[in-house]
Amino acid sequence: MKFSVRREAILGPLQFVASVVERRHTLPILSNLLLRLQADGLCLVGSDQEVELLANISDVEVLNEGAITVPARKLIDICRSLRPEATLDCELVGDHLQVKSGRYRSQLGTLPAQDYPCIEIDENVAPLKISSDVFGNSLAKTGFAMAQQDVRYFFNGMLLKLSSSRLTTVATNGQRLATSVIDLPDLEEKSGEYIIPRKGVLELLKMIKTDGSELAVYFTANHLQVVTDTGTVTTKLIDATYPEFEAAIPGDNHNIVKLDRLDLKEALTRTAILSNETYRNIRMVVTGDNLQLEANNPNQEEAEENITIDYHGDDLDIGFNVEYLIDALSVMKSEEIVMAFSDAGSAALLTDPDDPDSRYVVSPMML
Protein backbone atom coordinates (compact mmCIF):
# COMPACT_ATOMS: atom_id res chain seq x y z
CA MET A 1 0.00 0.00 0.00
CA LYS A 2 1.54 3.26 -1.14
CA PHE A 3 0.06 6.64 -2.08
CA SER A 4 0.63 10.41 -2.16
CA VAL A 5 -2.02 12.99 -1.30
CA ARG A 6 -2.16 16.72 -0.72
CA ARG A 7 -2.74 17.75 2.88
CA GLU A 8 -5.72 19.91 1.87
CA ALA A 9 -7.33 16.98 0.01
CA ILE A 10 -7.20 14.57 2.94
CA LEU A 11 -7.63 16.75 6.04
CA GLY A 12 -11.35 17.53 5.61
CA PRO A 13 -12.40 13.91 4.93
CA LEU A 14 -10.20 12.75 7.81
CA GLN A 15 -11.88 15.14 10.22
CA PHE A 16 -15.31 14.06 8.99
CA VAL A 17 -14.86 10.30 9.45
CA ALA A 18 -12.89 10.66 12.69
CA SER A 19 -15.69 12.66 14.36
CA VAL A 20 -17.44 9.40 15.20
CA VAL A 21 -14.32 7.71 16.58
CA GLU A 22 -14.00 7.52 20.37
CA ARG A 23 -10.58 8.09 21.88
CA ARG A 24 -10.91 5.13 24.22
CA HIS A 25 -12.93 2.15 23.17
CA THR A 26 -13.25 -1.38 24.49
CA LEU A 27 -12.29 -2.52 20.98
CA PRO A 28 -8.88 -0.93 20.23
CA ILE A 29 -9.45 -1.14 16.47
CA LEU A 30 -12.39 1.28 16.78
CA SER A 31 -9.89 3.98 17.79
CA ASN A 32 -8.48 3.53 14.29
CA LEU A 33 -9.60 4.58 10.84
CA LEU A 34 -9.80 2.14 7.96
CA LEU A 35 -7.81 3.26 4.90
CA ARG A 36 -8.77 1.39 1.74
CA LEU A 37 -6.69 2.29 -1.33
CA GLN A 38 -7.97 1.27 -4.76
CA ALA A 39 -7.26 2.32 -8.32
CA ASP A 40 -9.97 5.01 -8.26
CA GLY A 41 -8.84 6.64 -5.01
CA LEU A 42 -8.66 6.46 -1.23
CA CYS A 43 -11.62 5.49 0.97
CA LEU A 44 -11.59 6.48 4.66
CA VAL A 45 -13.91 4.77 7.18
CA GLY A 46 -14.62 5.58 10.84
CA SER A 47 -17.08 3.76 13.09
CA ASP A 48 -18.30 3.33 16.66
CA GLN A 49 -20.50 0.35 15.66
CA GLU A 50 -23.61 2.54 15.89
CA VAL A 51 -22.70 5.07 13.21
CA GLU A 52 -20.27 4.52 10.35
CA LEU A 53 -18.84 7.37 8.26
CA LEU A 54 -17.17 6.94 4.89
CA ALA A 55 -15.36 9.52 2.76
CA ASN A 56 -13.90 9.09 -0.73
CA ILE A 57 -10.86 11.00 -1.98
CA SER A 58 -10.25 10.87 -5.73
CA ASP A 59 -7.41 13.42 -5.79
CA VAL A 60 -4.75 10.95 -4.73
CA GLU A 61 -1.79 9.33 -6.48
CA VAL A 62 -2.23 5.57 -6.10
CA LEU A 63 1.11 3.77 -6.31
CA ASN A 64 0.20 0.42 -4.75
CA GLU A 65 -3.30 -0.66 -3.65
CA GLY A 66 -4.08 -2.09 -0.22
CA ALA A 67 -5.94 -1.58 3.06
CA ILE A 68 -4.94 -0.99 6.69
CA THR A 69 -6.20 0.73 9.86
CA VAL A 70 -4.28 3.49 11.65
CA PRO A 71 -4.83 5.56 14.83
CA ALA A 72 -7.39 8.23 13.94
CA ARG A 73 -6.28 11.08 16.21
CA LYS A 74 -2.58 10.68 15.50
CA LEU A 75 -3.05 10.77 11.73
CA ILE A 76 -5.27 13.86 11.99
CA ASP A 77 -2.80 15.62 14.30
CA ILE A 78 0.00 14.95 11.83
CA CYS A 79 -2.05 16.41 8.97
CA ARG A 80 -3.06 19.45 11.01
CA SER A 81 0.55 20.17 11.95
CA LEU A 82 1.68 20.35 8.32
CA ARG A 83 1.51 23.44 6.15
CA PRO A 84 -1.51 23.77 3.83
CA GLU A 85 0.59 23.25 0.70
CA ALA A 86 2.23 20.06 2.04
CA THR A 87 2.00 16.63 0.41
CA LEU A 88 1.86 13.40 2.40
CA ASP A 89 3.70 10.35 1.09
CA CYS A 90 2.31 7.23 2.81
CA GLU A 91 3.61 3.67 2.51
CA LEU A 92 2.82 0.49 4.44
CA VAL A 93 6.09 -1.10 5.51
CA GLY A 94 5.68 -4.23 7.61
CA ASP A 95 3.12 -3.47 10.31
CA HIS A 96 3.65 0.31 10.27
CA LEU A 97 2.40 3.07 7.99
CA GLN A 98 5.21 5.47 7.13
CA VAL A 99 4.03 9.06 6.67
CA LYS A 100 6.50 11.52 5.13
CA SER A 101 6.21 15.17 4.16
CA GLY A 102 9.24 17.23 3.24
CA ARG A 103 11.82 16.68 5.98
CA TYR A 104 9.22 15.16 8.34
CA ARG A 105 9.26 11.39 8.92
CA SER A 106 6.93 9.25 11.03
CA GLN A 107 5.55 5.76 11.29
CA LEU A 108 2.20 4.79 12.78
CA GLY A 109 1.23 1.50 14.32
CA THR A 110 -1.48 -0.40 12.44
CA LEU A 111 -4.07 -3.12 12.89
CA PRO A 112 -5.28 -5.44 10.09
CA ALA A 113 -8.01 -4.08 7.81
CA GLN A 114 -9.88 -7.40 7.83
CA ASP A 115 -10.50 -7.01 11.57
CA TYR A 116 -12.33 -3.69 11.16
CA PRO A 117 -16.06 -4.15 11.97
CA CYS A 118 -17.75 -2.49 9.00
CA ILE A 119 -21.54 -2.19 9.01
CA GLU A 120 -23.17 -4.34 6.35
CA ILE A 121 -26.61 -3.43 4.98
CA ASP A 122 -29.01 -5.18 2.63
CA GLU A 123 -27.73 -4.46 -0.88
CA ASN A 124 -31.05 -5.37 -2.49
CA VAL A 125 -32.87 -2.32 -1.10
CA ALA A 126 -33.74 0.31 -3.70
CA PRO A 127 -32.66 3.82 -2.69
CA LEU A 128 -34.88 6.85 -2.29
CA LYS A 129 -33.44 9.66 -4.43
CA ILE A 130 -33.90 13.09 -2.91
CA SER A 131 -32.39 16.58 -3.19
CA SER A 132 -29.76 17.42 -0.58
CA ASP A 133 -31.46 20.80 -0.08
CA VAL A 134 -34.81 19.25 0.72
CA PHE A 135 -33.53 16.46 2.95
CA GLY A 136 -30.90 18.52 4.77
CA ASN A 137 -33.32 21.36 5.49
CA SER A 138 -35.94 18.95 6.82
CA LEU A 139 -33.42 17.43 9.24
CA ALA A 140 -32.30 20.88 10.39
CA LYS A 141 -35.87 22.08 10.93
CA THR A 142 -36.59 19.28 13.37
CA GLY A 143 -33.29 17.96 14.76
CA PHE A 144 -32.95 20.64 17.43
CA ALA A 145 -35.98 19.22 19.30
CA MET A 146 -34.40 15.80 20.00
CA ALA A 147 -33.84 14.82 23.62
CA GLN A 148 -30.44 14.19 25.16
CA GLN A 149 -29.95 11.17 27.43
CA ASP A 150 -33.66 10.71 28.06
CA VAL A 151 -34.65 7.39 29.66
CA ARG A 152 -37.25 7.17 26.89
CA TYR A 153 -34.47 6.33 24.49
CA PHE A 154 -36.59 6.75 21.36
CA PHE A 155 -36.77 10.48 22.18
CA ASN A 156 -32.96 10.59 21.79
CA GLY A 157 -33.39 10.44 18.04
CA MET A 158 -35.53 11.45 15.08
CA LEU A 159 -38.45 9.69 13.44
CA LEU A 160 -38.52 9.41 9.65
CA LYS A 161 -41.98 8.33 8.53
CA LEU A 162 -42.65 7.29 4.94
CA SER A 163 -46.27 7.17 3.79
CA SER A 164 -48.48 8.36 0.92
CA SER A 165 -45.60 9.79 -1.14
CA ARG A 166 -44.48 11.90 1.82
CA LEU A 167 -41.51 11.84 4.16
CA THR A 168 -42.17 13.30 7.61
CA THR A 169 -39.36 14.08 10.04
CA VAL A 170 -40.28 14.34 13.72
CA ALA A 171 -38.31 15.12 16.88
CA THR A 172 -39.44 15.68 20.46
CA ASN A 173 -38.17 15.58 24.03
CA GLY A 174 -41.63 15.40 25.56
CA GLN A 175 -41.89 19.16 26.20
CA ARG A 176 -41.45 20.39 22.65
CA LEU A 177 -42.02 18.89 19.23
CA ALA A 178 -40.94 19.75 15.69
CA THR A 179 -42.25 18.20 12.48
CA SER A 180 -41.54 18.80 8.80
CA VAL A 181 -43.10 17.18 5.74
CA ILE A 182 -41.50 16.59 2.34
CA ASP A 183 -43.69 15.76 -0.66
CA LEU A 184 -42.18 13.04 -2.83
CA PRO A 185 -44.49 12.59 -5.82
CA ASP A 186 -42.11 10.12 -7.49
CA LEU A 187 -41.89 7.91 -4.42
CA GLU A 188 -42.94 4.35 -5.13
CA GLU A 189 -45.36 2.66 -2.77
CA LYS A 190 -43.20 2.61 0.33
CA SER A 191 -44.12 3.06 3.94
CA GLY A 192 -42.48 2.61 7.29
CA GLU A 193 -41.19 4.33 10.41
CA TYR A 194 -37.48 4.61 11.13
CA ILE A 195 -35.94 6.14 14.28
CA ILE A 196 -32.42 7.48 13.74
CA PRO A 197 -30.30 7.93 16.90
CA ARG A 198 -29.20 11.44 17.80
CA LYS A 199 -25.58 10.80 16.85
CA GLY A 200 -26.60 9.64 13.39
CA VAL A 201 -28.73 12.75 12.83
CA LEU A 202 -25.88 15.05 13.85
CA GLU A 203 -23.46 13.30 11.48
CA LEU A 204 -25.97 13.57 8.64
CA LEU A 205 -26.31 17.30 9.27
CA LYS A 206 -22.53 17.64 9.05
CA MET A 207 -22.23 15.67 5.82
CA ILE A 208 -25.20 16.90 3.80
CA LYS A 209 -24.40 20.04 1.85
CA THR A 210 -27.49 21.94 0.74
CA ASP A 211 -26.11 22.46 -2.76
CA GLY A 212 -28.93 20.90 -4.77
CA SER A 213 -27.08 17.64 -5.39
CA GLU A 214 -28.92 14.32 -5.29
CA LEU A 215 -28.73 11.96 -2.33
CA ALA A 216 -29.45 8.24 -2.21
CA VAL A 217 -31.21 7.20 1.00
CA TYR A 218 -31.46 3.49 1.83
CA PHE A 219 -34.05 2.35 4.39
CA THR A 220 -33.54 -1.18 5.76
CA ALA A 221 -34.92 -3.05 8.75
CA ASN A 222 -31.97 -2.18 10.99
CA HIS A 223 -30.08 0.64 9.29
CA LEU A 224 -30.42 3.87 7.37
CA GLN A 225 -27.72 4.86 4.90
CA VAL A 226 -27.30 8.18 3.08
CA VAL A 227 -24.88 8.31 0.15
CA THR A 228 -23.48 11.44 -1.53
CA ASP A 229 -20.83 11.87 -4.21
CA THR A 230 -18.10 12.24 -1.58
CA GLY A 231 -19.27 10.39 1.51
CA THR A 232 -21.63 7.99 3.23
CA VAL A 233 -23.31 7.90 6.64
CA THR A 234 -24.65 4.55 7.84
CA THR A 235 -26.48 4.46 11.16
CA LYS A 236 -28.21 1.78 13.15
CA LEU A 237 -31.87 2.42 13.88
CA ILE A 238 -33.46 2.57 17.32
CA ASP A 239 -35.63 -0.50 17.78
CA ALA A 240 -38.75 1.03 19.31
CA THR A 241 -42.22 2.33 18.51
CA TYR A 242 -42.36 6.12 18.30
CA PRO A 243 -45.28 7.77 20.16
CA GLU A 244 -48.24 9.04 18.15
CA PHE A 245 -46.94 12.55 17.58
CA GLU A 246 -49.99 13.90 15.75
CA ALA A 247 -51.96 13.74 19.00
CA ALA A 248 -49.52 16.22 20.56
CA ILE A 249 -50.20 18.91 17.93
CA PRO A 250 -53.01 21.16 19.22
CA GLY A 251 -55.84 21.62 16.76
CA ASP A 252 -58.50 23.82 18.43
CA ASN A 253 -56.58 27.10 18.57
CA HIS A 254 -58.86 30.13 18.55
CA ASN A 255 -56.31 32.53 20.08
CA ILE A 256 -54.03 33.52 17.19
CA VAL A 257 -51.02 35.83 17.58
CA LYS A 258 -49.26 37.23 14.50
CA LEU A 259 -45.95 38.94 15.12
CA ASP A 260 -42.51 39.69 13.73
CA ARG A 261 -40.26 36.67 14.15
CA LEU A 262 -36.99 38.55 14.65
CA ASP A 263 -38.57 41.04 17.04
CA LEU A 264 -39.80 38.18 19.20
CA LYS A 265 -36.54 36.24 19.02
CA GLU A 266 -34.44 39.25 19.96
CA ALA A 267 -36.79 40.23 22.80
CA LEU A 268 -36.75 36.69 24.17
CA THR A 269 -32.95 36.59 23.98
CA ARG A 270 -32.63 39.84 25.95
CA THR A 271 -35.26 38.96 28.53
CA ALA A 272 -33.84 35.45 29.02
CA ILE A 273 -30.59 36.87 30.39
CA LEU A 274 -32.31 37.36 33.77
CA SER A 275 -34.46 34.22 33.72
CA ASN A 276 -33.98 31.38 36.19
CA GLU A 277 -30.79 29.58 35.11
CA THR A 278 -32.21 26.19 36.09
CA TYR A 279 -35.73 26.33 34.69
CA ARG A 280 -35.23 28.96 31.95
CA ASN A 281 -38.88 30.02 32.34
CA ILE A 282 -40.32 33.18 30.89
CA ARG A 283 -43.78 34.71 31.27
CA MET A 284 -45.86 35.84 28.29
CA VAL A 285 -48.85 38.11 28.92
CA VAL A 286 -51.02 38.74 25.86
CA THR A 287 -53.50 41.61 26.07
CA GLY A 288 -55.03 43.34 23.05
CA ASP A 289 -52.25 44.30 20.64
CA ASN A 290 -49.45 43.89 23.20
CA LEU A 291 -47.25 40.95 24.19
CA GLN A 292 -45.37 41.46 27.43
CA LEU A 293 -42.37 39.24 28.23
CA GLU A 294 -41.25 38.92 31.85
CA ALA A 295 -38.37 37.06 33.48
CA ASN A 296 -36.90 36.92 36.98
CA ASN A 297 -34.56 34.78 39.03
CA PRO A 298 -33.84 33.89 42.68
CA ASN A 299 -31.45 36.87 42.93
CA GLN A 300 -34.48 39.16 42.60
CA GLU A 301 -33.30 40.33 39.17
CA GLU A 302 -35.97 41.11 36.60
CA ALA A 303 -36.39 41.89 32.92
CA GLU A 304 -39.41 42.99 30.91
CA GLU A 305 -40.09 43.87 27.28
CA ASN A 306 -43.22 44.65 25.27
CA ILE A 307 -43.90 43.81 21.62
CA THR A 308 -46.69 45.08 19.39
CA ILE A 309 -48.69 42.20 17.92
CA ASP A 310 -51.73 41.49 15.77
CA TYR A 311 -54.15 39.72 18.12
CA HIS A 312 -57.91 39.38 18.56
CA GLY A 313 -58.44 36.76 21.24
CA ASP A 314 -58.73 36.15 24.96
CA ASP A 315 -56.22 37.64 27.38
CA LEU A 316 -53.51 35.09 28.12
CA ASP A 317 -50.96 34.67 30.90
CA ILE A 318 -48.70 31.72 30.16
CA GLY A 319 -45.15 30.49 30.86
CA PHE A 320 -42.64 28.76 28.58
CA ASN A 321 -39.07 27.50 28.51
CA VAL A 322 -37.49 30.44 26.70
CA GLU A 323 -34.81 28.32 25.01
CA TYR A 324 -37.44 26.11 23.40
CA LEU A 325 -39.09 29.16 21.86
CA ILE A 326 -35.79 30.62 20.65
CA ASP A 327 -34.74 27.30 19.08
CA ALA A 328 -37.97 27.09 17.09
CA LEU A 329 -37.77 30.72 15.97
CA SER A 330 -34.15 30.16 14.86
CA VAL A 331 -35.08 27.54 12.25
CA MET A 332 -38.10 29.43 10.92
CA LYS A 333 -37.53 31.81 8.01
CA SER A 334 -40.57 34.10 7.54
CA GLU A 335 -40.55 37.68 8.73
CA GLU A 336 -43.97 37.15 10.33
CA ILE A 337 -44.90 33.99 12.23
CA VAL A 338 -48.04 32.73 13.93
CA MET A 339 -48.40 31.53 17.53
CA ALA A 340 -51.69 29.77 18.23
CA PHE A 341 -53.17 28.87 21.63
CA SER A 342 -56.32 27.18 22.85
CA ASP A 343 -56.02 28.68 26.34
CA ALA A 344 -53.43 29.62 28.98
CA GLY A 345 -52.94 26.00 29.99
CA SER A 346 -52.35 24.57 26.50
CA ALA A 347 -49.30 24.20 24.30
CA ALA A 348 -48.36 26.85 21.75
CA LEU A 349 -48.32 25.95 18.06
CA LEU A 350 -45.79 27.97 16.03
CA THR A 351 -46.14 28.03 12.26
CA ASP A 352 -44.39 29.76 9.39
CA PRO A 353 -46.66 31.07 6.57
CA ASP A 354 -43.84 30.48 4.07
CA ASP A 355 -43.40 26.88 5.26
CA PRO A 356 -46.84 25.44 6.12
CA ASP A 357 -45.48 21.89 6.19
CA SER A 358 -43.37 22.58 9.30
CA ARG A 359 -44.93 22.84 12.75
CA TYR A 360 -43.47 23.53 16.19
CA VAL A 361 -45.17 22.80 19.52
CA VAL A 362 -43.96 24.08 22.89
CA SER A 363 -45.66 22.95 26.11
CA PRO A 364 -46.37 25.53 28.82
CA MET A 365 -44.58 25.75 32.18
CA MET A 366 -45.95 26.50 35.62
CA LEU A 367 -45.31 30.10 36.63
Side-chain angles (χ1 to χ4, degrees), residues 138-196:
S138 186
L139 295 180
K141 289 174 186 176
T142 53
F144 70 90
M146 292 184 293
Q148 297 187 52
Q149 299 180 333
D150 197 298
V151 292
R152 299 162 294 184
Y153 57 95
F154 43 80
F155 281 173
N156 304 317
M158 177 186 293
L159 171 68
L160 271 62
K161 181 178 180 178
L162 282 171
S163 64
S164 304
S165 298
R166 308 179 93 194
L167 171 62
T168 304
T169 57
V170 184
T172 182
N173 65 358
Q175 285 79 48
R176 63 175 173 183
L177 179 142
T179 73
S180 181
V181 177
I182 303 169
D183 286 317
L184 300 170
D186 298 329
L187 178 66
E188 297 180 4
E189 287 300 322
K190 190 179 181 76
S191 63
E193 295 190 359
Y194 309 86
I195 307 175
I196 312 173

Side-chain angles (χ1 to χ4, degrees), residues 310-351:
D310 179 2
Y311 182 64
H312 303 282
D314 303 329
D315 291 352
L316 296 174
D317 187 346
I318 188 167
F320 291 104
N321 181 310
V322 66
E323 291 181 352
Y324 292 174
L325 292 173
I326 291 173
D327 286 345
L329 293 168
S330 296
V331 298
M332 300 170 83
K333 301 300 181 185
S334 295
E335 291 185 6
E336 183 181 75
I337 59 100
V338 175
M339 294 184 68
F341 307 86
S342 174
D343 53 51
S346 66
L349 174 63
L350 284 73
T351 53

Side-chain angles (χ1 to χ4, degrees), residues 78-98:
I78 289 172
C79 290
R80 284 175 176 160
S81 69
L82 298 172
R83 293 181 176 178
E85 67 275 11
T87 296
L88 286 78
D89 298 312
C90 304
E91 181 178 7
L92 183 61
V93 179
D95 58 357
H96 286 79
L97 183 71
Q98 293 184 353

Side-chain angles (χ1 to χ4, degrees), residues 30-41:
L30 288 178
S31 296
N32 283 14
L33 295 179
L34 171 63
L35 279 60
R36 190 184 297 120
L37 187 66
Q38 297 175 320
D40 58 350

